[in-house]
Amino acid sequence: MSQVLRHVIESIGAASQASAEVARAKVAAAGTPVLERLAASLAGAQHTPRPRAARRTIVVVAGDHGAGDPGIELGESHPTVIAARACADGTAALAGVARTAHAPIVLVDAGTREPSHMPDVAVGLGRGPGGDLGEAMTPVDATLALEAGIALAVSLGESDVIAVGALGLGSELSAAALYEAASLAAPEMTEQNLAGKGDVERARILGRTLGGMGGLDLLAYLGGPDTAVLAGLILGAASTNTPVILDGQATGAAALVACRFAPAAAGYLIAAHRGTETMPAILDHLGLVPAFDVGLGHGEGTGAAMLLPLLDQVAALCG
């Protein structure tokens, strides 16, 4: 583990339960449980009974996983490129929600398959796309991506809250594997129990097999460049008492990794919605109750951005 990563992890303390309860009590008169939960989460993470939400940033991290590699060059037709360009040119649903929420979007290329076709506004932080499950990254690449995410969090240090999303092929398989590893299920991986399994089930079996590994090894084996940058961002934000709003399962997988390094980081996470596929299980594992119980599945940040206006109400009621 690098000295930078170790220093950040050691600087993460528990969220403030006292501030959380004071804020919850202030909002209780509104009779809206979701606002009470958000008030407690926001105040606890910021360590103040008067939480803030005016300065916010949406970070969308793009990174492709080898598990989802189509095997051919798609150029500007690559799904990750198409989605990133829509975020950049303002035609994506996220862009509309961001404008309404008065939140700038920071687009990050953590390691996409077609980087030359990514929009010019994308901030390049990666060393290339991830490999297949079991060999996603080297520990060196994983460490560098974590540190890049930490540096990104530091650069956004004036933000009251950070909403995150992710783009990239194969993230659903990585999320499934990382969840199984985090839940410490136990079956041995053999050719027999892998035979005939679908991609998601194979990912889960592999995750169960590697569940005893430490955070860095799990990230290197099962994560991806987006996972690593997002995990570093979460760790960096937690070290500066900045709450992070999660969206889909790719952000949830990064949260699992961050909490493997620093369990207290869970106190700085807010779940926007229940999500689909592996995300509900990830949220249950992290002990997070989502604000919305709806089937938003894309995970590019729209769900997280939708939560920002509610945080304005929380800040007003706590002020």
Side-chain angles (χ1 to χ4, degrees), residues 176-265:
L178 284 168
Y179 167 70
E180 294 296 337
S183 64
L184 296 177
E188 291 288 333
M189 181 180 67
T190 67
E191 290 298 325
Q192 182 177 3
N193 65 22
L194 282 175
K197 302 293 186 181
D199 288 343
V200 173
E201 185 58 28
R202 288 170 64 88
R204 288 173 174 163
I205 292 171
L206 181 59
R208 293 168 197 162
T209 305
L210 303 177
M213 289 186 169
L216 185 59
D217 288 331
L218 278 182
L219 178 59
Y221 275 91
L222 302 176
D226 58 326
T227 318
V229 169
L230 281 166
L233 174 64
I234 290 169
L235 291 171
S239 72
T240 58
N241 299 339
T242 304
V244 174
I245 305 174
L246 304 177
D247 197 342
Q249 58 188 343
T251 64
L256 287 174
V257 172
C259 291
R260 190 72 169 232
F261 284 113

Side-chain angles (χ1 to χ4, degrees), residues 105-134:
I105 299 174
V106 176
L107 179 62
V108 175
D109 184 349
T112 57
R113 183 65 61 187
E114 305 281 358
S116 63
H117 296 281
M118 288 288 285
D120 292 338
V121 297
V123 180
L125 293 182
R127 289 160 58 97
D132 202 354
L133 295 177

Side-chain angles (χ1 to χ4, degrees), residues 20-89:
E21 289 307 314
V22 171
R24 187 196 298 274
K26 287 183 178 180
V27 175
T32 308
V34 64
L35 291 184
E36 288 186 44
R37 293 197 300 271
L38 289 175
S41 297
L42 194 63
Q46 294 178 346
H47 291 251
T48 174
R50 301 180 64 181
R52 310 168 303 277
R55 299 175 299 181
R56 56 274 201 109
T57 306
I58 301 168
V59 178
V60 181
V61 180
D64 291 311
H65 299 246
D69 188 355
I72 58 174
E73 292 186 9
L74 298 176
E76 62 183 14
S77 298
H78 195 285
T80 305
V81 172
I82 293 173
R85 287 187 169 184
C87 287
D89 65 22

